[in-house]
Amino acid sequence: ESAISASKQVHYFSNDDGDRHQRRLMITQRLEKAIDDGALTLYFQPKQHLAEGQVKSCESLLRWFDDGTFISPAEFIPIAERSGLILPLGEWVLDQAFDQVRRWHQQGKGIQIAINISPRQFMQPDFVQGIARRLDSYGVPPSLIELELTETSVMETGAAARQVLVALRELGVSLSIDDFGTGYSSLAYLSGFPVDKIKIDRSFVQYMDEQPEQQAIVLTICQLAKNLGLSVIAEGVETEAQRELLASFGCDYIQGYWLAKPMPANEVEQLFVG
Ligand code: C2E
Ligand code: MG
Ligand code: MG
Ligand code: MG
């Protein structure tokens, strides 16, 4: 054994790496079963229109209770992205979300659902067809569906992404860019893409009532978005002070614990009137 490969091995099997590797493996194996076993469910977090105060839409967020233990999507989604399991998982999420939109629609509640789409899902050649097929088979108006895309989805695939976005817009669904500000895209560049809305990342909102720089960033994003004809939503709003600042900045919508946490469908529908 050479000294180099020996030191690599030592590094590879260091406790931390080993634990992380084990956990990834465990999550991959159990997640595959969880889809079949009904251990996954969608929660919904309301969004509020700031000027009018109405709550007419919500975001679907995956929840996984593995034998009673909660495992966060912030942990398992990136793992599923890497293993490819995100594809069947993403299909499952789309079906669940469309089914929920259909139910609310049939009950006369026009509640829009925003569905998180991961980059790998977005890049599937049949992604647009999958959305078109569901609009048809679930019989829901496209205006009740919003897709939350990541900056990576839009940036890394460039021209191909534009065509996908155009095709989705033609179907009549809304498109938003999630976690805006955390990637490398600029608003000027994004404005060349047919998206409707940008979602300011929680990391900017979080300290905006304490840190002037964060506040300046949020204000700039709001102003520029308006000038470009995009609507803006702020995620992770936790305080009244944040909400008031955002309202004064002309931000269109807010979402966050200040308004409501993600919750099961039966709880969220009680927040909606008519
Ligand atoms: P995201 O799409 O940016 O969702 C927002 C996250 O912030 C959610 O975490 C939500 O519970 C949390 N959040 C909302 N308001 C507040 C607040 O006021 N304070 C704090 N501290 N947190 C707040 P969650 O549910 O753990 O999801 C994490 C991420 O996992 C999501 O970020 C999204 O990227 C991904 N994810 C969740 N569900 C899905 C899914 O169905 N498909 C895909 N592809 N990704 C998903
Ligand atoms: Mg989201
Ligand atoms: Mg987000
Ligand atoms: Mg986020």
Side-chain angles (χ1 to χ4, degrees), residues 178-179 201 235:
D178 205 352
D179 303 329
D201 192 61
E235 68 175 20

Side-chain angles (χ1 to χ4, degrees), residues 59 61 116 148 178-179 199 235:
E59 175 181 11
L61 293 158
N116 287 289
E148 291 194 5
D178 205 352
D179 303 329
K199 237 182 147 167
E235 68 175 20

